[in-house]
Each structure stands twice: as C-alpha cells, then as structure tokens.
Amino acid sequence: MTVSYNLDVSSASIFSFLRLQLRWKGSIWKYLLKELVMFVFAFGVVSSIYRSNLIIGENTRKIWDNFAALFDQTMEFIPLTFMLGFFVTIIVRRWNDIFANLGWVDNTAITIANYIRGTDDRTRMIRRNVIRYMVLTQVLVFRDISLQVRRRFPTLESIVSAGFMLEHEKEALCNVACKYSKYFVPIQWSTGLLVDARAEGKIAADLLMNEIGKNIIEFRKGLALLSNYDWVPIPLAYPQVVFLAVRSYFFMALIARQSVLLDGKEPEQPSIVSQFPSIFQVNNTIFQLYPTVPFVMSVLQFIFVVGWMKVAESMINPLGEDDDDFECNFLLDRNLAIGLTIVDDCYNQIPSVEKDMFWCSDVEPLYSVDTAMIPKNPQIGSAANYEVKQDEEEVMMMPHMDDVDIYDFESTNHLIPRKTFSVISIQRPFGSRASLASRKRSMMFDQLRGRMAKKQNKSNMFQNSASQATLHYNFESQAPSEINLSTLEMSAPKRKTSTGKLGSTNVAEEQHKLSAEVLPIVLEEDEEKSRMLEKDRNKFG
C-alpha cells in the first residue's frame, strides 16, 4: 500500500516536480477528486442563481452583495491555518512514534544466533521458536489494531494455517484463564526458553541470557505502545472541530465569493474606452472575465486547505487500508523469514578470513564509469587550507604573556617565563636551529618587538594611572622587568619612591641581576633542544 516516489525526486528539477504532480496513487488528486468536483459543481449552481435575472432581481442581488461582503470580512474569524497546523503536528508526531515501534526482529535474531550456541536439533528448535514466538506476539497485536491484518487472520485457526503458531500452542494460548488480551503469553514462552537454554549450558553466561532478554522486552514495549495509541486516540472533539471548520469555511465561500466588488463597487472600465470605441468590445470581454477570478482563487484555496486536511486524515491511522498506510502483513512475513534465516540457516556461517585486496596497497575503491567523473567533497577542515605567508620562512614559538602577568606587581615570577623560545623552520621540518643568542638579531625578533610595543604602551598607561593610587609594594623585592627581544637586555621600569612619585632605579644593577638569572636558563634550554633536533636529523637522514 505504501507509495514510493523517492526515485522521482532523486534530483531536484522541474521534471521531478512534474513527475510527482502526475502521480495518481496516493496523490492529493485521488484524495480530493470527489470533494473538489462537488465544490466546483456547487459553486457553479450558486453562481448561476446569483447572475440570472430570471431567478433573483436587482434589489435581491444588492442584498446578496451585502451578505457576501459580510461573509468575506468575517470568514477570517475561523483560524484555519492555526487549527490545521497544530492538528497536523500532533498527527505527524504520533505517526513517527507508530512507525518507530512497528517491531523488527533483526537485532534480537543476531543476538540469539551468537549467544545460543549449538548445532543439534534441540538448540536449533530453541533459537527458531524464540523468534517465532516474538512474531506470533506481533501477529496477535496487529490483529486487534490493523484492519488489513484482521482481514488476513480472522481467527486463531488462520494463524495456525499460516504457520505462525502450532496447534498445541493454540490450545495452550486458549487455556490461559485471562479475560484480557493475551499478548504476553508468547513473550513469556520466549523468555522461558532462554532460561532452559541457560540451564542446559547452551548460553555461556547469565549476562548473555540477560542481553537476549532485554531485546525481547524492548520488542514487547514497542508493541505495547502501538496498543496504547490504538486504545487512546486523539480526543474526538479535536478532529471534529477541525473538519467542521474547514467545511464550514468553504460553505460560506460559496456565497462570499460570488459578487465582484472592489470597495463596495463593481470594477470600472478604463477611460480609454470612451476615446477609442474600437477596443470597447475587447474591454467588455475582459470585464466579463472578472467573476472568474474569485472562482479560480477559491478552487486553489480549496485544494491547498482541504488537501492539508486530507493529509491529516490519512495519517491519523497509519495501520489502516489507505494508500500510504504501513505494510503490516509484509512486515509479519518479513520478520518471520528473516529471523529464522538468521538464527538457523546463517548460524555459524562465517567466511574464511583472508587478506583483502587492499592489503599491500592504498585503499582506493573503484567507481563505475558514470560515477568516476563526479567530483567529491571530502571532509576537510575549513581552516586546513590556510597557508603561511610567503615572506615567512620560520615560525617562532614563545610563551603567552597576558596582561595579568605583565601588571602583576606582587610577584615577579610571572613576568620572566621559565620556558625558552623555539624557532621552527617551515621549509625543513627537521632542519637545524641555531641557539637563541645567534637568533636575537634576526628578523623574527624585530617583528616580535613591534608586536610587544603595544603591550609596552599599555604598561606605561597603567603605570601612569598607578602613580595616582596608593600601592603597597615591597621595595626590596625584585622589580618586574621588560624584555627587549632584540638584545635580551633587561631594563627595570620606574618604581614608586618614598615620596609617592615614580622614579628610576639603578638600571645597571637590575640589569645585571636579571641577566644573570634569565640568560643562563634561556640559553641552556635552547641549546638542549638544539641537540635533540640534531639527533632527530641524524636519525632520519
């Protein structure tokens, strides 16, 4: 019953649109044909009465025009768009839930085939019966909620004749003393067989038995949800009010869309008619076509709105017998055939493990001639194609110096980083690298000096503002220093004197202290990394 049209829309084009519009089975034209013919016929009859002078007079037509104008103004009081939109949203959500819980035995069958081991008849019967009992539960549920399945299996004897149940199993099912639905009985048979298989050692561990049981219970939960949706549908008042609103709207449209009035007056003929009488006949014909405009627009609105409502009507019970309802009978046959094939025919049928055709070559699967020339869009990061500037041959790596560390007057540990600078060659990944002392006059430091100038300006601005505040600072501690990357000389900034003003300290003394502490660390770490890179270069040739 399901209508498939995916092949027609495999590519977005005007021809795909035309192919869809010309489909009949499951189309809007099939759903709307009868009601559309009735609406057009009723519109034509009312229009004949309205425009015939033999049925109504001129005064009666004016009264009709007044009522038509009132109807046309008040028809917007019926919120069709809101009512239909909310109603269709609820219907589609239920439709998705029903489709997701129809029940597929593939996962359970694969689990059973791998966890219940054995090739003897007893083990084969256990595997096959567990699957058949699951499908039998699905048959019992679908008989009560799907009319197409009920037509196929009107009695339990028909289920036995179809092979889903054996005669002694039918008697056992009928002997269960329960006045409610007996959907649970085949599921209980399935789990009981699992316990027997575990006791007989056909299942290696309790954990494996529990895994199979979980799959069976999940299958039962899906069928229970289908039963609940069938038991408690959407409240009847909601579809009633929606369907009544749509049909009432177009019933009033039969009266409101007859008169052709613009602001209460008929459309006037252009003044050019009086100047050129020769075109009066053509213009009069156009004037007579004005009444067809409300008719055409009303028909289009009827197709769109009533078609939207028909979509909701067809989806409200997807287990029925409409063109787009689910193929329940096919699903039952498919589950039984696939499940038994997995647990029996394909049991332990594993191909021999051999080397694949890409064992000693690049993984490049082949394409057909038609698809080989179609360009591909591989998964590449958006910034992966970024290229380094042509004038940069090296990249300098250094620790991050944030503003908090630069303006930290309480401690000097953050101002002088304990990491060294690294200079990486772009052209030669394993190329040699000179020490930091030989690099200090390179262009890289000149570029970095310009970048650090902004931070120095910010530091000066901060110091000027700090001179106006009371700062509790230990004058005997080491002062924060600025790094001159071109010469690696340390120059101390201005400090606050005892009078509260910023003054200069002994630059030579501070420079000597900081140089003695920083330069050995920087040069020692840089030389150590140089030696490591030299070993890598020798190792890789």
Side-chain angles (χ1 to χ4, degrees):
M1 290 184 180
T2 303
V3 180
S4 178
Y5 57 90
N6 293 329
L7 184 61
D8 295 337
V9 294
S10 58
S11 60
S13 64
I14 186 63
F15 299 103
S16 300
F17 167 77
L18 293 176
R19 284 194 295 266
L20 287 182
Q21 296 301 317
L22 296 177
R23 297 288 292 268
W24 173 252
K25 187 177 181 180
S27 65
I28 191 64
W29 316 117
K30 183 178 180 180
Y31 288 138
L32 280 180
L33 181 61
K34 295 181 180 179
E35 296 191 26
L36 182 60
V37 171
M38 294 173 59
F39 178 77
V40 172
F41 177 77
F43 196 97
V45 171
V46 175
S47 180
S48 300
I49 296 174
Y50 171 75
R51 302 185 187 283
S52 177
N53 294 326
L54 300 177
I55 300 177
I56 61 174
E58 190 67 25
N59 295 330
T60 306
R61 188 175 293 106
K62 291 182 179 180
I63 297 175
W64 187 308
D65 291 339
N66 293 332
F67 276 103
L70 288 175
F71 281 171
D72 192 46
Q73 294 175 5
T74 56
M75 284 170 59
E76 300 299 329
F77 293 170
I78 303 177
L80 286 183
T81 304
F82 172 76
M83 296 174 63
L84 276 174
F86 193 68
F87 181 64
V88 172
T89 301
I90 296 176
I91 294 297
V92 171
R93 186 182 300 115
R94 290 172 59 93
W95 187 91
N96 288 331
D97 291 342
I98 293 174
F99 179 75
N101 292 276
L102 284 177
W104 306 85
V105 299
D106 301 51
N107 293 339
T108 308
I110 294 174
T111 306
I112 290 174
N114 286 279
Y115 293 167
I116 302 180
R117 309 298 297 178
T119 57
D120 56 290
D121 292 343
R122 169 66 176 170
T123 307
R124 290 182 58 194
M125 286 189 295
I126 290 177
R127 288 197 299 262
R128 293 176 65 91
N129 283 343
V130 170
I131 294 297
R132 188 167 56 83
Y133 291 155
M134 292 177 62
V135 181
L136 176 59
T137 305
Q138 196 173 28
V139 170
L140 296 177
V141 173
F142 281 6
R143 284 182 73 245
D144 294 341
I145 65 177
S146 175
L147 185 59
Q148 52 180 305
V149 179
R150 190 71 180 191
R151 292 177 185 272
R152 179 184 178 184
F153 303 117
T155 60
L156 294 180
E157 286 75 11
S158 60
I159 301 178
V160 176
S161 300
F164 291 92
M165 183 168 54
L166 302 181
E167 186 65 32
H168 72 280
E169 295 170 350
K170 179 180 76 68
E171 295 177 359
L173 181 64
C174 294
N175 292 332
V176 175
C178 182
K179 64 179 181 179
Y180 301 105
S181 301
K182 302 177 183 179
Y183 306 144
F184 64 91
V185 176
I187 292 294
Q188 189 174 13
W189 294 346
S190 298
T191 55
L193 288 177
L194 296 181
V195 176
D196 293 343
R198 175 66 181 118
E200 297 173 8
K202 302 181 184 304
I203 301 179
D206 293 337
L207 181 62
L208 304 182
M209 182 187 68
N210 292 336
E211 188 67 23
I212 302 175
K214 288 180 181 179
N215 289 324
I216 297 176
I217 295 302
E218 288 297 325
F219 183 83
R220 191 210 68 83
K221 285 183 179 179
L223 298 178
L225 182 62
L226 297 184
S227 299
N228 292 338
Y229 273 151
D230 181 77
W231 178 37
V232 184
I234 297 176
L236 180 61
Y238 198 5
Q240 282 181 339
V241 70
V242 172
F243 301 155
L244 180 62
V246 172
R247 287 165 174 82
S248 300
Y249 181 91
F250 287 100
F251 178 78
M252 290 187 295
L254 294 176
I255 300 175
R257 306 289 171 79
Q258 297 297 332
S259 62
V260 183
L261 298 178
L262 298 177
D263 297 332
K265 300 180 181 179
E266 294 185 357
E268 297 180 356
Q269 298 181 4
S271 59
I272 192 174
V273 174
S274 59
Q275 301 176 7
F276 301 95
S278 59
I279 65 172
F280 177 78
Q281 188 67 29
V282 177
N283 198 49
N284 188 34
T285 303
I286 296 175
F287 181 77
Q288 293 177 356
L289 293 177
Y290 286 155
T292 61
V293 175
F295 169 73
V296 173
M297 298 306 297
S298 298
V299 170
L300 290 178
Q301 188 182 24
F302 184 89
I303 293 175
F304 300 151
V305 176
V306 179
W308 197 5
M309 184 189 66
K310 286 295 183 179
V311 171
E313 289 181 356
S314 64
M315 296 179 66
I316 195 170
N317 183 20
L319 301 178
E321 294 182 310
D322 293 331
D323 290 340
D324 287 313
D325 289 341
F326 300 147
E327 299 286 349
C328 296
N329 285 319
F330 167 79
L331 181 61
L332 296 175
D333 299 341
R334 183 258 178 206
N335 277 346
L336 183 63
I338 294 296
L340 295 181
T341 301
I342 292 175
V343 300
D344 195 8
D345 297 341
C346 296
Y347 171 76
N348 212 24
Q349 300 294 326
I350 304 175
S352 60
V353 180
E354 298 179 0
K355 295 181 180 180
D356 55 74
M357 60 182 301
F358 310 110
W359 183 266
C360 297
S361 62
D362 296 335
V363 181
E364 293 183 358
L366 300 180
Y367 287 78
S368 64
V369 177
D370 296 335
T371 60
M373 302 305 295
I374 299 177
K376 296 187 298 183
N377 183 21
Q379 183 181 8
I380 299 177
S382 58
N385 294 326
Y386 172 78
E387 297 181 357
V388 184
K389 297 180 180 180
Q390 298 295 331
D391 56 346
E392 295 183 1
E393 297 181 356
E394 297 173 335
V395 176
M396 174 173 290
M397 310 298 293
M398 63 173 294
H400 185 268
M401 312 240 340
D402 53 12
D403 296 338
V404 177
D405 292 336
I406 293 177
Y407 301 143
D408 188 2
F409 283 92
E410 297 295 335
S411 175
T412 60
N413 295 330
H414 296 161
L415 278 178
I416 304 174
R418 296 306 181 187
K419 299 179 181 179
T420 184
F421 295 90
S422 297
V423 180
I424 301 174
S425 175
I426 298 178
Q427 303 297 333
R428 296 177 298 170
F430 299 99
S432 61
R433 183 189 63 171
S435 63
L436 183 61
S438 62
R439 292 275 180 180
K440 63 182 180 180
R441 291 183 297 272
S442 64
M443 294 297 295
M444 303 301 298
F445 289 98
D446 295 338
Q447 296 177 3
L448 190 57
R449 187 191 306 113
R451 297 176 184 177
M452 295 296 294
K454 296 181 180 180
K455 292 185 177 293
Q456 182 178 1
N457 295 335
K458 292 181 180 180
S459 178
N460 295 335
M461 292 175 62
F462 180 84
Q463 293 172 1
N464 292 335
S465 60
S467 62
Q468 301 176 4
T470 303
L471 300 177
H472 299 283
Y473 184 76
N474 185 8
F475 294 98
E476 296 180 358
S477 64
Q478 186 178 355
S481 304
E482 299 174 356
I483 303 176
N484 189 337
L485 293 175
S486 62
T487 59
L488 289 182
E489 295 178 355
M490 306 300 171
S491 59
K494 296 182 179 180
R495 292 182 177 176
K496 188 175 69 172
T497 61
S498 60
T499 59
K501 298 181 180 179
L502 293 175
S504 300
T505 58
N506 191 339
V507 178
E509 180 181 357
E510 294 296 336
Q511 177 181 352
H512 177 72
K513 291 180 179 180
L514 296 177
S515 299
E517 293 180 0
V518 176
L519 285 179
I521 297 175
V522 172
L523 296 178
E524 181 180 356
E525 293 180 355
D526 189 77
E527 291 295 336
E528 182 179 356
K529 290 189 176 183
S530 297
R531 290 192 297 270
M532 294 177 62
L533 289 176
E534 185 68 23
K535 293 180 180 179
D536 293 340
R537 186 178 69 256
N538 296 333
K539 180 179 179 180
F540 291 97

Short mmCIF file of all heavy atoms in Angstrom, two decimals, residues 33-51 64 247 250-258 295 298-299 302:
data_model
loop_
_atom_site.label_atom_id
_atom_site.label_comp_id
_atom_site.label_asym_id
_atom_site.label_seq_id
_atom_site.Cartn_x
_atom_site.Cartn_y
_atom_site.Cartn_z
N LEU A 33 -10.52 14.43 -5.33
CA LEU A 33 -11.30 14.48 -6.56
C LEU A 33 -12.79 14.62 -6.30
O LEU A 33 -13.46 15.50 -6.85
CB LEU A 33 -11.02 13.23 -7.40
CG LEU A 33 -11.75 13.18 -8.74
CD1 LEU A 33 -11.34 14.36 -9.62
CD2 LEU A 33 -11.48 11.85 -9.45
N LYS A 34 -13.35 13.78 -5.46
CA LYS A 34 -14.79 13.81 -5.23
C LYS A 34 -15.23 15.13 -4.60
O LYS A 34 -16.20 15.75 -5.05
CB LYS A 34 -15.19 12.63 -4.35
CG LYS A 34 -14.98 11.27 -5.00
CD LYS A 34 -15.42 10.15 -4.08
CE LYS A 34 -15.20 8.79 -4.73
NZ LYS A 34 -15.61 7.68 -3.83
N GLU A 35 -14.53 15.55 -3.55
CA GLU A 35 -14.93 16.78 -2.88
C GLU A 35 -14.68 18.00 -3.75
O GLU A 35 -15.44 18.98 -3.69
CB GLU A 35 -14.19 16.92 -1.54
CG GLU A 35 -14.54 15.82 -0.55
CD GLU A 35 -14.01 16.12 0.84
OE1 GLU A 35 -13.82 17.30 1.15
OE2 GLU A 35 -13.76 15.17 1.59
N LEU A 36 -13.63 17.98 -4.56
CA LEU A 36 -13.37 19.11 -5.44
C LEU A 36 -14.46 19.23 -6.52
O LEU A 36 -14.92 20.34 -6.84
CB LEU A 36 -12.00 18.95 -6.10
CG LEU A 36 -11.55 20.08 -7.03
CD1 LEU A 36 -11.47 21.39 -6.28
CD2 LEU A 36 -10.21 19.75 -7.67
N VAL A 37 -14.89 18.09 -7.06
CA VAL A 37 -15.98 18.12 -8.05
C VAL A 37 -17.26 18.64 -7.42
O VAL A 37 -17.99 19.45 -8.02
CB VAL A 37 -16.17 16.71 -8.66
CG1 VAL A 37 -17.43 16.67 -9.51
CG2 VAL A 37 -14.96 16.32 -9.49
N MET A 38 -17.54 18.22 -6.20
CA MET A 38 -18.73 18.70 -5.51
C MET A 38 -18.66 20.20 -5.26
O MET A 38 -19.65 20.93 -5.43
CB MET A 38 -18.91 17.95 -4.19
CG MET A 38 -19.22 16.47 -4.35
SD MET A 38 -19.23 15.58 -2.77
CE MET A 38 -20.50 16.48 -1.90
N PHE A 39 -17.47 20.71 -4.88
CA PHE A 39 -17.34 22.14 -4.61
C PHE A 39 -17.49 22.95 -5.90
O PHE A 39 -18.17 23.99 -5.92
CB PHE A 39 -15.98 22.41 -3.97
CG PHE A 39 -15.72 23.87 -3.70
CD1 PHE A 39 -16.30 24.51 -2.64
CD2 PHE A 39 -14.87 24.60 -4.54
CE1 PHE A 39 -16.06 25.86 -2.39
CE2 PHE A 39 -14.63 25.94 -4.31
CZ PHE A 39 -15.23 26.57 -3.23
N VAL A 40 -16.87 22.50 -6.98
CA VAL A 40 -16.98 23.22 -8.25
C VAL A 40 -18.43 23.21 -8.75
O VAL A 40 -18.95 24.24 -9.24
CB VAL A 40 -16.03 22.60 -9.30
CG1 VAL A 40 -16.28 23.21 -10.67
CG2 VAL A 40 -14.57 22.81 -8.87
N PHE A 41 -19.10 22.07 -8.62
CA PHE A 41 -20.49 22.00 -9.06
C PHE A 41 -21.37 22.94 -8.22
O PHE A 41 -22.22 23.67 -8.77
CB PHE A 41 -20.99 20.56 -8.94
CG PHE A 41 -22.43 20.38 -9.30
CD1 PHE A 41 -22.83 20.37 -10.62
CD2 PHE A 41 -23.40 20.23 -8.31
CE1 PHE A 41 -24.17 20.21 -10.97
CE2 PHE A 41 -24.73 20.08 -8.64
CZ PHE A 41 -25.11 20.07 -9.97
N ALA A 42 -21.18 22.94 -6.91
CA ALA A 42 -21.97 23.82 -6.05
C ALA A 42 -21.67 25.29 -6.34
O ALA A 42 -22.59 26.13 -6.35
CB ALA A 42 -21.69 23.50 -4.58
N PHE A 43 -20.41 25.60 -6.61
CA PHE A 43 -20.06 26.99 -6.93
C PHE A 43 -20.73 27.43 -8.23
O PHE A 43 -21.22 28.56 -8.35
CB PHE A 43 -18.54 27.12 -7.05
CG PHE A 43 -18.05 28.53 -6.98
CD1 PHE A 43 -17.58 29.07 -5.79
CD2 PHE A 43 -18.06 29.35 -8.12
CE1 PHE A 43 -17.12 30.38 -5.73
CE2 PHE A 43 -17.61 30.65 -8.06
CZ PHE A 43 -17.13 31.17 -6.87
N GLY A 44 -20.75 26.52 -9.21
CA GLY A 44 -21.40 26.85 -10.47
C GLY A 44 -22.89 27.06 -10.33
O GLY A 44 -23.48 27.97 -10.94
N VAL A 45 -23.57 26.24 -9.53
CA VAL A 45 -25.01 26.39 -9.33
C VAL A 45 -25.33 27.70 -8.63
O VAL A 45 -26.23 28.45 -9.05
CB VAL A 45 -25.53 25.18 -8.52
CG1 VAL A 45 -27.00 25.42 -8.10
CG2 VAL A 45 -25.42 23.90 -9.33
N VAL A 46 -24.59 28.01 -7.57
CA VAL A 46 -24.84 29.26 -6.84
C VAL A 46 -24.54 30.46 -7.73
O VAL A 46 -25.27 31.48 -7.71
CB VAL A 46 -24.01 29.30 -5.55
CG1 VAL A 46 -24.17 30.63 -4.84
CG2 VAL A 46 -24.43 28.16 -4.63
N SER A 47 -23.48 30.37 -8.53
CA SER A 47 -23.15 31.47 -9.43
C SER A 47 -24.24 31.68 -10.48
O SER A 47 -24.57 32.82 -10.84
CB SER A 47 -21.81 31.20 -10.10
OG SER A 47 -21.46 32.25 -10.98
N SER A 48 -24.85 30.59 -10.98
CA SER A 48 -25.93 30.72 -11.95
C SER A 48 -27.15 31.39 -11.33
O SER A 48 -27.82 32.24 -11.96
CB SER A 48 -26.32 29.34 -12.49
OG SER A 48 -25.21 28.73 -13.12
N ILE A 49 -27.44 31.04 -10.10
CA ILE A 49 -28.57 31.68 -9.41
C ILE A 49 -28.29 33.15 -9.19
O ILE A 49 -29.17 34.01 -9.37
CB ILE A 49 -28.85 30.95 -8.08
CG1 ILE A 49 -29.29 29.52 -8.34
CG2 ILE A 49 -29.90 31.70 -7.27
CD1 ILE A 49 -29.45 28.69 -7.08
N TYR A 50 -27.07 33.47 -8.81
CA TYR A 50 -26.73 34.86 -8.49
C TYR A 50 -26.78 35.75 -9.73
O TYR A 50 -27.23 36.89 -9.68
CB TYR A 50 -25.35 34.90 -7.84
CG TYR A 50 -24.79 36.29 -7.67
CD1 TYR A 50 -25.26 37.14 -6.68
CD2 TYR A 50 -23.78 36.75 -8.51
CE1 TYR A 50 -24.74 38.42 -6.53
CE2 TYR A 50 -23.26 38.03 -8.37
CZ TYR A 50 -23.74 38.86 -7.37
OH TYR A 50 -23.23 40.12 -7.23
N ARG A 51 -26.33 35.24 -10.88
CA ARG A 51 -26.19 36.07 -12.06
C ARG A 51 -27.39 35.99 -13.01
O ARG A 51 -27.40 36.68 -14.03
CB ARG A 51 -24.91 35.69 -12.82
CG ARG A 51 -23.68 35.82 -11.96
CD ARG A 51 -22.39 35.58 -12.68
NE ARG A 51 -21.29 35.56 -11.72
CZ ARG A 51 -20.77 36.64 -11.18
NH1 ARG A 51 -21.25 37.83 -11.49
NH2 ARG A 51 -19.79 36.55 -10.29
N TRP A 64 -27.81 40.35 -1.63
CA TRP A 64 -26.80 39.27 -1.69
C TRP A 64 -25.39 39.85 -1.58
O TRP A 64 -24.54 39.30 -0.88
CB TRP A 64 -26.99 38.53 -3.01
CG TRP A 64 -26.12 37.28 -3.14
CD1 TRP A 64 -24.79 37.19 -2.97
CD2 TRP A 64 -26.57 35.98 -3.47
NE1 TRP A 64 -24.35 35.93 -3.18
CE2 TRP A 64 -25.43 35.13 -3.49
CE3 TRP A 64 -27.82 35.43 -3.78
CZ2 TRP A 64 -25.50 33.79 -3.80
CZ3 TRP A 64 -27.88 34.08 -4.09
CH2 TRP A 64 -26.73 33.26 -4.08
N ARG A 247 -14.88 22.63 6.41
CA ARG A 247 -16.05 22.53 5.53
C ARG A 247 -17.00 23.71 5.70
O ARG A 247 -17.63 24.17 4.73
CB ARG A 247 -16.76 21.21 5.79
CG ARG A 247 -15.97 20.02 5.22
CD ARG A 247 -16.44 18.68 5.75
NE ARG A 247 -15.75 17.58 5.06
CZ ARG A 247 -14.56 17.13 5.37
NH1 ARG A 247 -13.87 17.71 6.34
NH2 ARG A 247 -14.01 16.14 4.70
N PHE A 250 -15.61 26.75 3.58
CA PHE A 250 -15.85 26.73 2.13
C PHE A 250 -17.34 26.73 1.80
O PHE A 250 -17.72 27.09 0.68
CB PHE A 250 -15.15 25.52 1.51
CG PHE A 250 -13.66 25.68 1.44
CD1 PHE A 250 -12.84 25.07 2.38
CD2 PHE A 250 -13.09 26.47 0.46
CE1 PHE A 250 -11.47 25.24 2.32
CE2 PHE A 250 -11.71 26.63 0.39
CZ PHE A 250 -10.90 26.02 1.33
N PHE A 251 -18.19 26.36 2.75
CA PHE A 251 -19.62 26.53 2.52
C PHE A 251 -19.97 28.02 2.48
O PHE A 251 -20.76 28.46 1.62
CB PHE A 251 -20.41 25.82 3.62
CG PHE A 251 -21.89 25.99 3.49
CD1 PHE A 251 -22.61 25.25 2.57
CD2 PHE A 251 -22.57 26.89 4.31
CE1 PHE A 251 -23.98 25.41 2.45
CE2 PHE A 251 -23.93 27.06 4.19
CZ PHE A 251 -24.64 26.32 3.26
N MET A 252 -19.38 28.80 3.38
CA MET A 252 -19.62 30.24 3.34
C MET A 252 -18.96 30.87 2.13
O MET A 252 -19.43 31.90 1.62
CB MET A 252 -19.09 30.89 4.63
CG MET A 252 -19.91 30.55 5.86
SD MET A 252 -19.37 31.48 7.32
CE MET A 252 -17.74 30.82 7.54
N ALA A 253 -17.86 30.26 1.64
CA ALA A 253 -17.20 30.80 0.46
C ALA A 253 -18.08 30.71 -0.77
O ALA A 253 -17.91 31.49 -1.72
CB ALA A 253 -15.87 30.07 0.22
N LEU A 254 -19.02 29.76 -0.80
CA LEU A 254 -19.93 29.67 -1.95
C LEU A 254 -20.77 30.94 -2.10
O LEU A 254 -21.14 31.32 -3.22
CB LEU A 254 -20.86 28.46 -1.78
CG LEU A 254 -20.18 27.08 -1.83
CD1 LEU A 254 -21.22 26.00 -1.55
CD2 LEU A 254 -19.50 26.86 -3.17
N ILE A 255 -21.06 31.61 -1.01
CA ILE A 255 -21.84 32.85 -1.06
C ILE A 255 -20.93 34.06 -1.14
O ILE A 255 -21.18 35.00 -1.90
CB ILE A 255 -22.76 32.94 0.17
CG1 ILE A 255 -23.73 31.75 0.20
CG2 ILE A 255 -23.52 34.26 0.19
CD1 ILE A 255 -24.60 31.70 1.44
N ALA A 256 -19.85 34.04 -0.38
CA ALA A 256 -19.00 35.23 -0.28
C ALA A 256 -18.19 35.48 -1.55
O ALA A 256 -17.81 36.63 -1.82
CB ALA A 256 -18.05 35.10 0.91
N ARG A 257 -17.90 34.45 -2.34
CA ARG A 257 -17.03 34.62 -3.50
C ARG A 257 -17.81 34.80 -4.81
O ARG A 257 -17.23 34.66 -5.88
CB ARG A 257 -16.11 33.40 -3.62
CG ARG A 257 -15.32 33.08 -2.36
CD ARG A 257 -14.24 34.09 -2.09
NE ARG A 257 -13.64 33.90 -0.79
CZ ARG A 257 -12.72 32.98 -0.49
NH1 ARG A 257 -12.32 32.15 -1.42
NH2 ARG A 257 -12.22 32.90 0.73
N GLN A 258 -19.09 35.13 -4.75
CA GLN A 258 -19.88 35.30 -5.97
C GLN A 258 -19.80 36.71 -6.53
O GLN A 258 -19.59 36.91 -7.73
CB GLN A 258 -21.35 34.93 -5.70
CG GLN A 258 -21.56 33.48 -5.31
CD GLN A 258 -21.17 32.52 -6.40
OE1 GLN A 258 -21.22 32.85 -7.58
NE2 GLN A 258 -20.76 31.32 -6.00
N PHE A 295 -13.54 32.65 -8.49
CA PHE A 295 -13.74 31.20 -8.64
C PHE A 295 -12.39 30.47 -8.67
O PHE A 295 -12.20 29.47 -7.97
CB PHE A 295 -14.52 30.93 -9.93
CG PHE A 295 -14.55 29.48 -10.31
CD1 PHE A 295 -15.32 28.59 -9.60
CD2 PHE A 295 -13.79 29.02 -11.38
CE1 PHE A 295 -15.35 27.23 -9.94
CE2 PHE A 295 -13.82 27.67 -11.72
CZ PHE A 295 -14.59 26.79 -11.01
N SER A 298 -10.72 30.57 -5.26
CA SER A 298 -11.41 29.71 -4.29
C SER A 298 -11.07 28.25 -4.53
O SER A 298 -10.89 27.47 -3.57
CB SER A 298 -12.92 29.92 -4.39
OG SER A 298 -13.27 31.26 -4.08
N VAL A 299 -10.97 27.84 -5.79
CA VAL A 299 -10.61 26.46 -6.09
C VAL A 299 -9.19 26.15 -5.61
O VAL A 299 -8.93 25.09 -5.02
CB VAL A 299 -10.76 26.18 -7.60
CG1 VAL A 299 -10.15 24.83 -7.97
CG2 VAL A 299 -12.23 26.22 -8.01
N PHE A 302 -9.21 25.82 -1.93
CA PHE A 302 -9.83 24.56 -1.56
C PHE A 302 -8.82 23.41 -1.69
O PHE A 302 -8.74 22.54 -0.81
CB PHE A 302 -11.05 24.30 -2.45
CG PHE A 302 -11.82 23.07 -2.10
CD1 PHE A 302 -12.84 23.14 -1.18
CD2 PHE A 302 -11.52 21.84 -2.69
CE1 PHE A 302 -13.57 22.00 -0.85
CE2 PHE A 302 -12.24 20.71 -2.36
CZ PHE A 302 -13.26 20.78 -1.44
#
